[in-house]
Amino acid sequence: MITKYIFGDPVETGAVTAAVEDVSGVARFQVERDKGGIAFRLPLGARDVVYGLGETMGRVNKRGGRYISFNTDTADHEDSNPSLYASHNFLVVDGEAAFGAFFDTPARVVFEIDYQGSGEIYVHCDTQDLRLYQIESDTALGVCRELIAAVGRCYLPPLWAFGYGQSRFGYAAPEDFRKVADGYQKNSLPLDYICMDIDYMEGYRDFSFNQKNFPDIGAFVSEMGSRGIRLVPIVDAGIKVEPGEAVYEEGVRGGYFCRNKEGGFFKAGVWPGMTHFPDFLNTRAREWFGGLYKFYTDAGIEGFWNDMNEPAIFYSEYAKGLKNPLYQLILGMLPGKRRKEKKARELLRDYKSFFHDMDGRRLRHYDVHNLFGAMMTRATSEGLERLLDHRFMLFSRSSYIGANRYGGVWTGDNSSKWEHLRLNVRHMPSLNMCGFLYSGADTGGFGGNCTRELLLRWLAFSVFTPLMRNHTSKFTQNQEAYSFGDVEDFRTVLRLRYRLLPYIYSEYMKAALTADMYIKPLSFVYPEARGIEDQLLVGDSLMIAPVVIEGALSRRVYIPEDMTEVRYNGEFTCRPVSKGEYTVEVGLSEVVFYIRPGKLLPIGKIISNTREYDVSDLTLLGDGETYELYTDDGLTRDCTLENIRVLRK
Ligand code: MIG
């Protein structure tokens, strides 16, 4: 059962779309008002597990940690860092019964979950105005399903968005993209899309292609399209301040940009130099911005990633010091506590110096900060819905609960570290709890140099995440699957992804259409497995136990009930394993996973691209009797459970 409690006069975040009964005044928390906002306290039982918070640092069980919802552009994915790019203010307490709470406010929120052994949940919202949704259910999974249902139907990507994609900050010219396509195709490595990072642009301007490199972008999109490869450009949040440029002029004329303290348009230095931020909280501005994607759709482009939408600011019009984006960027990245603190103070000042017009309500950015990226995703998604008559790919860096109706997310600038592979494994169930089904990390890691072993193990995990994209930064070692000598092992793991697509696509679509999670913690189905955070349930049939330790050629696996072990090394080998705990060998050239009892796994043939996707002759592994295969043309918007076909063994 879900109920809502309204405090003060909250802004409409749009997170929850279902009608929910308002029973203000009976919050389960102890409520304390203070000058800065409202604090909520709830004592925890000694054995209670606390899940949730989506994209945050820490473990899947959030006990013991302190987390802050304040969307931040940060490459510092370490446990000491309280804020990443997103705010997912949803907690699930799993004790004797299960209980969930969603603190629906775009303001800053601090969560202390049994922090320093306090024995309680302490949540401080930096506002007096919010909606608190409380959910009672028998199980943690039940609580999550209620939240996901209340938020509304999850974004449905096209089939090709479940293919594998390659990306790199630095690809700039057609030769770079052709080289990637060649590298994959000549080595018989499957590939569906290549992301275009900011170097495709003219001077880092959104809605532009570098004229020298792309005099005819439509022709280049067709050229890649004829090879079965889609191009997926990045779009940043800020529009370059540049009198005479059409997009800028339109934005100024329409008054679509955020205002500064003086009433002019706020100026923030980002990649193109000074930019204005579209006021994504304003309906007209959103309509305008969404319509701008026509620039890309006219060229045949149907996939996008939205970046820098926390929003990231290198320096603002109020900054002292050198106003050079590169200088400011490097300054922000340099280690050193004092420099970081200075940067953080500047950012706070900036966020307090610009304003939104939320359809007549003037709001200081700082107070609605965590909604900005989500509303950019909404603007893009609604624009693309008008521009196209079928599904599109869209994922964003920043998000807020509810944005999952409009697009997916990636988890930002991780590094080529084993710990960040493990973080990816923890993020996926937590994101799914908050409804973000279409998600994934930069496979192989963004910062730093990836090793062959790390990439193989990371790919072997990403096989199961809906967004499977290999991405790395500038100045790092090449990270494409053909960049590490012998490609055979990479071929195995990438082919496995495509052979599992009938399952991945079906399970994703069924979860999205029934307000369910696609990836779950093991403990959501097997409560005794509460301490095990490096094994996950993927869809209804599979359990995975990825190798996440450097140098390991085996790992301990907990088998919660009799299962079928599947080993893929180019061939599938199945064998029954009984309940228990085992050391399982997993060589670098193979992927091992498990089918739950009474379930089936459909397997397709080897294909090199989703264009060749074919469900006419699937093999069924496992000891179940039937499998519900979701199938459609991969593009239609008419996605219903009627598209399910029952396969029998
Ligand atoms: O300031 O577009 O997270 O994926 O490659 C960095 C360049 C801007 C951050 C994104 C990353 C992307 C990079 N961007």
Side-chain angles (χ1 to χ4, degrees):
M1 201 211 9
I2 179 165
T3 48
K4 109 176 134 195
Y5 308 80
I6 298 179
F7 296 85
D9 181 19
V11 296
E12 188 48 76
T13 64
V16 168
T17 56
V20 174
E21 199 197 346
D22 177 354
V23 290
S24 297
V26 237
R28 201 156 137 170
F29 293 86
Q30 184 192 319
V31 180
E32 295 158 23
R33 281 163 211 269
D34 57 47
K35 267 209 326 268
I38 310 184
F40 298 86
R41 288 177 197 278
L42 183 75
L44 282 171
R47 303 180 64 96
D48 290 355
V49 174
V50 183
Y51 296 106
L53 296 183
E55 186 185 292
T56 50
M57 291 305 306
R59 293 177 300 135
V60 179
N61 180 358
K62 295 297 171 193
R63 268 191 101 126
R66 182 169 189 270
Y67 316 89
I68 301 180
S69 284
F70 196 73
N71 296 352
T72 306
D73 171 15
T74 173
D76 189 14
H77 297 194
E78 306 303 327
D79 272 331
S80 55
N81 183 5
S83 308
L84 294 180
Y85 312 84
S87 293
H88 303 142
N89 304 336
F90 177 50
L91 294 176
V92 183
V93 183
D94 191 10
E96 257 151 47
F99 165 69
F102 169 34
F103 299 85
D104 186 13
T105 168
R108 180 175 178 273
V109 184
V110 177
F111 296 88
E112 294 180 358
I113 317 290
D114 192 17
Y115 185 53
Q116 309 291 26
S118 68
E120 64 170 14
I121 291 179
Y122 169 83
V123 179
H124 189 276
C125 302
D126 285 11
T127 175
Q128 304 272 1
D129 308 301
L130 74 139
R131 290 182 185 78
L132 168 61
Y133 293 88
Q134 292 191 173
I135 303 174
E136 317 268 346
S137 181
D138 295 338
T139 61
L141 178 57
V143 168
C144 293
R145 283 182 176 150
E146 282 214 40
L147 178 86
I148 295 170
V151 163
R153 195 179 80 179
C154 179
Y155 157 72
L156 302 174
L159 174 69
W160 67 267
F162 293 87
Y164 168 71
Q166 181 64 56
S167 184
R168 166 170 204 127
F169 180 13
Y171 296 156
E175 303 82 82
D176 299 329
F177 297 96
R178 286 189 190 113
K179 203 171 136 204
V180 174
D182 291 348
Y184 276 91
Q185 294 184 337
K186 287 191 179 142
N187 285 298
S188 303
L189 297 163
L191 185 73
D192 259 88
Y193 59 94
I194 306 176
C195 291
M196 307 181 91
D197 207 321
I198 50 174
D199 294 298
Y200 78 79
M201 300 174 180
E202 186 74 59
Y204 300 135
R205 288 175 197 82
D206 286 347
F207 313 109
S208 78
F209 280 96
N210 181 288
Q211 274 314 297
K212 190 168 73 52
N213 286 333
F214 300 103
D216 183 353
I217 182 64
F220 187 57
V221 170
S222 307
E223 176 194 320
M224 296 305 273
S226 69
R227 305 178 66 171
I229 292 171
R230 310 244 183 184
L231 293 171
V232 177
I234 194 170
V235 177
D236 282 359
I239 298 295
K240 186 177 171 73
V241 175
E242 195 172 34
E245 277 294 309
V247 175
Y248 167 79
E249 294 288 354
E250 260 178 54
V252 168
R253 243 181 292 125
Y256 298 136
F257 299 125
C258 294
R259 302 270 174 184
N260 63 15
K261 289 184 283 195
E262 290 76 31
F265 296 119
F266 175 70
K267 289 203 219 58
V270 204
W271 285 102
M274 279 302 188
T275 68
H276 290 327
F277 291 137
D279 188 354
F280 295 118
L281 275 64
N282 179 282
T283 305
R284 286 178 50 244
R286 268 200 310 278
E287 278 169 15
W288 168 69
F289 188 81
L292 294 174
Y293 284 71
K294 184 168 191 300
F295 172 79
Y296 300 107
T297 55
D298 278 352
I301 292 171
E302 303 186 346
F304 303 91
W305 46 313
N306 282 349
D307 190 20
M308 306 301 267
N309 50 4
E310 293 70 32
I313 300 177
F314 296 164
Y315 61 98
S316 83
E317 60 183 294
Y318 300 110
K320 301 186 186 74
L322 196 56
K323 290 189 181 179
N324 174 312
L326 272 180
Y327 168 79
Q328 294 288 339
L329 177 74
I330 290 163
L331 189 72
M333 289 191 319
L334 283 177
K337 200 162 168 253
R338 282 186 49 209
R339 206 175 280 114
K340 273 193 186 156
E341 284 169 1
K342 178 173 178 284
K343 189 81 207 155
R345 275 199 308 277
E346 276 189 20
L347 257 181
L348 271 193
R349 180 209 52 215
D350 292 342
Y351 291 151
K352 289 180 176 171
S353 357
F354 71 96
F355 297 84
H356 298 272
D357 169 10
M358 196 175 192
D359 302 339
R361 191 169 176 178
R362 183 174 184 264
L363 299 164
R364 182 172 69 154
H365 174 77
Y366 177 77
D367 301 314
V368 291
H369 174 70
N370 293 337
L371 207 51
F372 188 80
M375 293 305 244
M376 180 187 185
T377 310
R378 177 173 172 192
T380 303
S381 187
E382 290 179 341
L384 291 171
E385 248 171 57
R386 292 191 302 270
L387 289 165
L388 300 169
D389 61 5
H390 50 265
R391 287 179 268 154
F392 46 82
M393 178 197 231
L394 176 62
F395 55 99
S396 168
R397 195 169 69 176
S398 186
S399 62
Y400 183 85
I401 287 181
N404 57 314
R405 293 196 302 273
Y406 303 106
V409 292
W410 96 100
T411 52
D413 298 346
N414 60 6
S415 300
S416 301
K417 292 181 183 174
W418 288 85
E419 182 49 29
H420 287 182
L421 164 57
R422 295 190 280 273
L423 177 63
N424 187 191
V425 175
R426 299 193 297 270
H427 268 156
M428 296 308 297
S430 299
L431 279 165
N432 273 258
M433 290 175 206
C434 300
F436 289 88
L437 273 48
Y438 191 71
S439 48
D442 288 352
T443 299
F446 180 71
N449 294 325
C450 193
T451 63
R452 180 174 192 275
E453 183 192 0
L454 179 57
L455 185 57
L456 276 170
R457 293 305 196 195
W458 209 321
L459 286 167
F461 172 66
S462 300
V463 156
F464 301 95
T465 67
L467 170 63
M468 185 189 190
R469 180 180 73 138
N470 177 338
H471 180 47
T472 184
S473 186
K474 263 192 180 159
F475 313 120
T476 64
Q477 205 172 282
N478 291 345
Q479 201 166 292
E480 300 85 2
Y482 52 79
S483 306
F484 296 85
D486 185 7
V487 295
E488 187 57 36
D489 295 346
F490 292 96
R491 200 177 287 138
T492 303
V493 65
L494 293 178
R495 281 185 174 170
L496 174 63
R497 165 69 170 207
Y498 282 79
R499 299 194 72 178
L500 292 181
L501 270 183
Y503 177 74
I504 293 168
Y505 186 55
S506 291
E507 294 302 306
Y508 183 97
M509 296 301 276
K510 288 187 286 182
L513 294 174
T514 59
D516 203 347
M517 294 164 66
Y518 163 79
I519 293 185
K520 302 180 189 82
L522 200 57
S523 54
F524 272 29
V525 173
Y526 307 103
E528 78 283 5
R530 278 174 166 190
I532 302 177
E533 298 193 345
D534 61 352
Q535 293 180 215
L536 297 171
L537 297 169
V538 177
D540 192 43
S541 300
L542 297 187
M543 179 183 82
I544 61 169
V547 176
V548 293
I549 303 285
E550 180 168 19
L553 291 171
S554 66
R555 61 158 288 168
R556 293 293 281 176
V557 180
Y558 172 62
I559 307 287
E561 55 184 332
D562 296 356
M563 291 185 172
T564 303
E565 182 191 270
V566 184
R567 186 171 293 270
Y568 185 70
N569 52 18
E571 305 291 331
F572 289 96
T573 316
C574 293
R575 71 178 184 102
V577 278
S578 27
K579 182 172 161 43
E581 208 183 320
Y582 306 91
T583 296
V584 178
E585 312 262 316
V586 188
L588 269 180
S589 56
E590 53 189 4
V591 183
V592 177
F593 52 95
Y594 302 86
I595 306 176
R596 295 170 60 199
K599 311 281 183 189
L600 289 175
L601 172 69
I603 299 288
K605 302 221 164 52
I606 289 172
I607 55 173
S608 58
N609 195 284
T610 54
R611 278 202 307 194
E612 297 164 12
Y613 184 72
D614 176 12
V615 294
S616 62
D617 185 16
L618 301 175
T619 305
L620 296 168
L621 305 181
D623 63 12
E625 280 165 15
T626 59
Y627 181 76
E628 294 192 332
L629 184 82
Y630 176 93
T631 161
D632 63 13
D633 64 5
L635 282 174
T636 177
R637 283 181 184 163
D638 186 20
C639 302
T640 69
L641 295 174
E642 276 164 33
N643 295 340
I644 289 175
R645 217 197 290 159
V646 177
L647 306 180
R648 275 167 224 289
K649 199 160 185 187

